[in-house]
Amino acid sequence: MIRATRQAAAQAAAGRTSRQAAPRPPRRTAGASRRAVPAAPVRRPAGEPERPARSAAVIVVPAVLALVVGLWDLGGPPLWRDEAATVSAAGRTLPQLVHLLQSVDVVHGLYYALMHVVAGLSGTAGVALRLPSVVAGALAAAGTGAIGRALGVPRAGLYGGALLALMPIFSRYVQEARPYALTAAAAVGATLLLLRLMRSPTSAVLAAYATALTVLAYLNLFAFLLAGAHGLAVVLSRGPVLRWACAAAPALAAVAPLAWLGSRQSAQVGWIPRPEAADVATLAVRLSGDLGGATGPGVAPLTWALVLFGLVYAAVAGVRRARSARELPETAVGRLEEPRAAAACSGQAALVRLTLPWLLVPALVLLAASWAIHPVYVFRYVFHCVPAAALLAGAGLAALPPGLGAAMLTAWLGLSVPGHFATRGPDGRQDDPRPVMAMLAAEAKPGDGVLFVPAKVRKYEAVYPSVFGRLRDVALARSPERDGSFSGRNVGPRVLAARLDGLRTLWVVGQTGKHAMPARRRALVERSFAPAGRWTFRGMFVDRYDRYDPRPAHRSNGAGVGK
């Protein structure tokens, strides 16, 4: 009995001890949620996509839009004077092309070599030579979406890529047989490699990035200024500056010979005027996606509004996050913040640090050099900065509530329509040779003479061989292919006078503006020919000269008998 009583007392004491040692549930405060907060939510890395389907859409949708818009009426815009140079270069043999680059356009050598291959496969028709630019535009739009996804803001990438594909200024350069759409695609690709470099700076990534910068410069020498913008972005992001420099230095060394050769052909940019305030305003309009000029600002005001909203949104979100980090421990911030919202905030800030230098540095450097040293600014030299503006506008669109974002996108699309029709119309380029060629085809007779003013207008012979093949180029001494130029070599006054002797009609084809027939040549022509008409078209003119009738005037005495 006594032993049983002691055992019961010991068990009771042990029960009290275990109850005292057991932890008590935490007390609920007035402001606390009734649901338990997870101790450590599993965060998805900022760059990791949420769903494979959405990940593909970020790339596929902009690419498809760019292809559709690029192929829309691809043969509609006329082949203007710069595209005529592409046709002339692409149709030459490789030795003739090398000879050409020794005197002119060495900075476009890589592009001309590519077009030589295209011409060998599909001919020198305008549509065939423009197709590589359309494909490059699709790659640039897809890469723009990929940049947003890599930064952890896939919606901004999707909207940015779609806006880029639908910008009228993008259509302008995508539908052109020149290297600027390829330059934009190379700039987007180099930027994607920069993001890879900042996350995993391996030797392979460094080599790929250096190669991308080199290709970019060989497509457009001035586009190498993007490397400086990348360096600033790395500094702002506190990234691996030394590793970036190790990749940029070999690229700079590879580009130096091209820069030296290009400097020996500086006459190629001698025509560029010093930029004025109106040019800066036009730059702002075109960087934001519209054409400027007669079409008005178009989408530019709305694009800049979206860009500014995106910048303000990123700044406010960054300030709030920094304030929360100061007030609460890091673990508490991680528990209270929504993981997706935190990733979006971080991605928005990273997007701003990347795109603002990309958008501003190349243009500001060219403008400063044009004002301080020598004019070198032309918008097409900074066209590769347009994807940065599209990404910033896409970030602003993604930050809006869905309903308001859809309304803004609809309004933006409506404002872009006039620009799309304008760039595909007869006034969409600096000159329109088609009315000139139609007139010569209808009015000029086989064996008539043709004179080009200035001589570089002769490159249209490569574009319209059926028109000029019937006419006699009376001033030609050496063909452009043999001369290693676009203009060829002209004969002297005596030979020209001898060639004019056998003609009844002479057609003078030239460019409007400051170009005019030299006074001595005009006097030589007007000794034997009388002006018979002048027709002016966009960027070009045609003069007709008919030979004076050598027979004496016939007089009559009124009775039908000549004296």
Side-chain angles (χ1 to χ4, degrees):
M1 177 68 77
I2 295 173
R3 184 176 296 175
T5 302
R6 288 179 179 177
Q7 289 178 354
Q11 291 175 0
R16 285 194 301 270
T17 304
S18 63
R19 283 193 299 271
Q20 291 175 0
R24 295 183 179 181
R27 295 182 179 180
R28 290 179 180 171
T29 59
S33 173
R34 293 182 179 271
R35 283 181 138 184
V37 180
V42 178
R43 295 189 181 184
R44 182 181 288 107
E48 183 180 336
E50 294 178 9
R51 294 181 184 176
R54 289 184 180 180
S55 173
V58 168
I59 296 175
V60 172
V61 170
V64 171
L65 287 175
L67 277 176
V68 171
V69 174
L71 293 173
W72 168 29
D73 196 19
L74 182 58
L79 283 168
W80 68 297
R81 63 188 71 170
D82 280 13
E83 289 183 289
T86 300
V87 175
S88 177
R92 305 186 186 204
T93 65
L94 282 179
Q96 289 173 343
L97 182 56
V98 172
H99 188 199
L100 173 71
L101 298 178
Q102 290 173 355
S103 60
V104 66
D105 271 0
V106 67
V107 294
H108 296 317
L110 177 61
Y111 178 72
Y112 286 159
L114 174 63
M115 291 298 102
H116 174 79
V117 175
V118 173
L121 295 174
S122 56
T124 57
V127 171
L129 295 182
R130 285 172 172 173
L131 276 176
S133 295
V134 174
V135 174
L139 292 175
T144 301
I147 290 174
R149 184 184 66 177
L151 291 171
V153 279
R155 287 184 64 210
L158 174 62
Y159 291 143
L163 290 176
L164 178 67
L166 298 172
M167 285 178 170
I169 195 66
F170 194 68
S171 289
R172 163 68 177 80
Y173 288 99
V174 162
Q175 293 191 327
E176 183 177 82
R178 294 301 285 169
Y180 305 108
L182 279 73
T183 304
V188 171
T191 304
L192 275 169
L193 287 169
L194 175 71
L195 294 178
R196 179 73 63 87
L197 183 151
M198 293 173 66
R199 290 175 180 172
S200 57
T202 62
S203 299
V205 173
L206 294 175
Y209 177 70
T211 302
L213 286 181
T214 304
V215 171
L216 174 67
Y218 274 78
L219 287 170
N220 179 10
L221 184 59
F222 290 123
F224 193 72
L225 292 171
L226 181 66
H230 281 178
L232 180 57
V234 174
V235 171
L236 293 176
S237 303
R238 298 179 182 179
V241 177
L242 184 59
R243 293 293 184 93
W244 169 84
C246 289
L252 179 61
V255 171
L258 178 67
W260 179 74
L261 291 172
S263 67
R264 301 183 65 186
Q265 299 176 359
S266 57
Q268 289 297 111
V269 294
W271 60 271
I272 299 178
R274 196 172 300 277
E276 301 176 353
D279 297 308
V280 179
T282 303
L283 168 65
V285 170
R286 291 179 175 175
L287 279 178
S288 57
D290 215 278
L291 302 173
T295 61
V299 300
L302 191 52
T303 301
W304 282 116
L306 290 171
V307 168
L308 292 175
F309 178 76
L311 292 174
V312 171
Y313 178 84
V316 171
V319 169
R320 287 180 177 176
R321 181 172 174 81
R323 185 177 299 171
S324 300
R326 285 196 303 268
E327 293 176 355
L328 295 173
E330 184 177 355
T331 54
V333 174
R335 291 176 183 175
L336 295 177
E337 277 190 335
E338 178 70 23
R340 291 183 186 177
C345 175
S346 176
Q348 287 270 6
L351 185 145
V352 170
R353 290 192 296 267
L354 177 70
T355 53
L356 266 186
W358 181 3
L359 176 65
L360 299 177
V361 169
L364 292 178
V365 170
L366 283 186
L367 287 173
S370 298
W371 288 322
I373 305 173
H374 186 278
V376 290
Y377 164 75
V378 180
F379 174 75
R380 55 181 175 265
Y381 297 161
V382 296
F383 172 68
H384 63 279
C385 300
V386 174
L391 267 172
L392 284 169
L397 198 59
L400 292 172
L404 181 58
M408 292 284 280
L409 182 59
T410 303
W412 191 95
L413 290 174
L415 292 171
S416 73
V417 171
H420 281 293
F421 282 103
T423 194
R424 291 165 174 81
D427 297 337
R429 302 295 187 269
Q430 288 177 255
D431 52 46
D432 185 2
R434 292 177 301 186
V436 174
M437 304 309 150
M439 180 180 181
L440 291 176
E443 301 292 334
K445 296 180 175 59
D448 284 355
V450 62
L451 191 64
F452 296 104
V453 179
K456 61 184 179 181
V457 179
R458 186 175 280 120
K459 58 192 173 187
Y460 278 114
E461 287 185 325
V463 183
Y464 299 97
S466 61
V467 174
F468 291 108
R470 305 179 304 117
L471 307 179
R472 292 172 56 190
D473 189 347
V474 294
L476 181 64
R478 184 183 298 172
S479 69
E481 291 79 11
R482 289 181 54 208
D483 190 54
S485 65
F486 290 120
S487 58
R489 187 77 57 86
N490 282 342
V491 298
R494 290 185 180 181
V495 177
L496 179 60
R499 292 182 178 181
L500 291 175
D501 279 344
L503 294 179
R504 295 290 301 169
T505 302
L506 175 68
W507 300 88
V508 178
V509 179
Q511 293 174 348
T512 57
K514 298 180 181 180
H515 304 290
M517 190 186 305
R520 291 182 61 185
R521 181 164 292 182
R522 180 179 293 276
L524 179 64
V525 169
E526 292 182 349
R527 275 194 320 196
S528 304
F529 292 84
R534 182 181 179 90
W535 297 266
T536 302
F537 306 97
R538 181 173 178 82
M540 301 190 73
F541 70 86
V542 177
D543 288 339
R544 175 172 175 162
Y545 288 86
D546 289 337
R547 179 171 290 278
Y548 291 115
D549 191 344
R551 295 174 298 176
H554 182 78
R555 296 182 181 181
S556 171
N557 62 0
V561 180
K563 289 185 177 180

